Amino acid sequence: MRIARRQPVVPWYAATRVVLLLLALNVLPYFNRGAIIGDVSTYRQWISGSFDQGQYPLSDQRWQYPPGAAAPLLLPHWLPGSYYVLFFVMCLIADVAVFWMLLRAAKRADPAQPSPAGPWLWTLGIAAIGPMAYGRYDLVVTAFAVAALTVTPRSKRSTAVARGVLIGFGAFLKLWPAAFLFGAPKRRNGRLLVGVAAATAVVPTLALELFFPGVLSFLTNQKTRGVQLESVFATPFVAGRWFGWSGGVTNTHGAYEFTGPGVPLAGKAALLSTAVGCAILLLIRRRAAVRGGFPFPSSMLADVGFAAVLVFVVTSRVLSPQYLVWLLGVAAVCLTSRQTLMRVPAWLVLAAVSVTQLIFPLFYHTLRGGQIYSGAILIGRNTVLVVAAVLALRALWRATGTALDGVRVPVSGVLFGEDRGHRVRLVQDEGAPLDRELGGGGAEHGPEGVVDGVGGPGRGGADRLVEGD
């Protein structure tokens, strides 16, 4: 693989992924087996109890996914062999695809000296999450999201279509890639991207609603969610238990949520903060349109998309380890370009991710019990994520104030459209964010390829291999 040649990160990536797969398969022991296979066991229950009967598991309160989520859950079931083994292998393939796309994006951004930051962040971040990353289907969604940010066909129009399809399909699997639309380009190509993304997500969803009435209930089921133990808005209650707060923790919707005085108010505050975050992102977008665009429009989709996903994660009432996989994927794409505005927030996300296994599963029982040391780790992690979100929004806000008449904006030592020593007007042409995406992807580049029965008689041994504690 020419792209990976002489890349020091490649052997480290390979070594960490071999260890993660062996841990997932139970070849190497892990201190909490249930943390790896817990969600996969739930997927198997949904398959045997609902999907095999031609139904969605709508009666299970844990099912709160778009209908497209059935595809990655059923794929390992349709193949011969152990469901667990095949599921872990599917996630490994998605992991490798993301890494390959990051290497390629960095190579396009700077053919002479590709930035290793993005691949390194992905390598270290997923390793920090541990084998739990292979026990959730979020790696598959993240692969589509990274492809949406890095694919660069020959023309701006075809790029808009390809990215719209990938964003829409990602939202069809799990809603969060729709956050990329905050960074869609202006005018015709932007409308095309948004329209294609909406059609790709909405049309199959409505079609499935006709055949499986009720699959749209995921849109309203989230209203019943409480404030989950690990979320940012649970922080006051984590600390409050140290000083006698009278509330407690209960397991609902497959997650531990706080109950007691002030919790409903915190839930409403979380929803309000999400709305405020969306308003700020829209205001930044409007500010960019009025003031001439971003200084580096080629990285706008990834930078704004990362900020949007970060805002949604820190304002959500739920924050599970798999949410961090989303952030790592988008942050890594940002770091493949040396022009990114998200360098500091991206590394802060990696710092927050580094304590993931301490919070869950290592000290999770003490966290539920209100212990100070585990609570302090969680509060520290959440504080770093909030700081990263604030800095990301601040970077976008300040950037939209620099792309003005007479402002010199250097890009790798070259100034857009100017001779040395002269000041120019930066104009964001129609579809400019799709030009030179990540520093490459012009007409000289060819189209990029997008990488993308339970319990049968032959499965027992393999299933026992991964299920045993």
Side-chain angles (χ1 to χ4, degrees), residues 5 33 36 103 105 143 145 155 160 208 211 247 252 261-262 283 290-291 293 309 317 364 369 375 383 408 419 426 452:
R5 190 176 300 167
R33 186 67 186 154
I36 302 175
L103 288 175
S155 69
L208 286 172
F211 292 98
T252 56
L283 182 61
V290 170
R291 300 198 172 202
V309 175
R317 290 170 294 174
Y364 202 65
T383 301
R408 302 182 63 191
D419 297 325
L426 291 180
D452 321 296

Side-chain angles (χ1 to χ4, degrees), residues 201-212:
V202 172
V203 170
T205 299
L206 294 179
L208 286 172
E209 173 68 18
L210 294 176
F211 292 98
F212 304 98

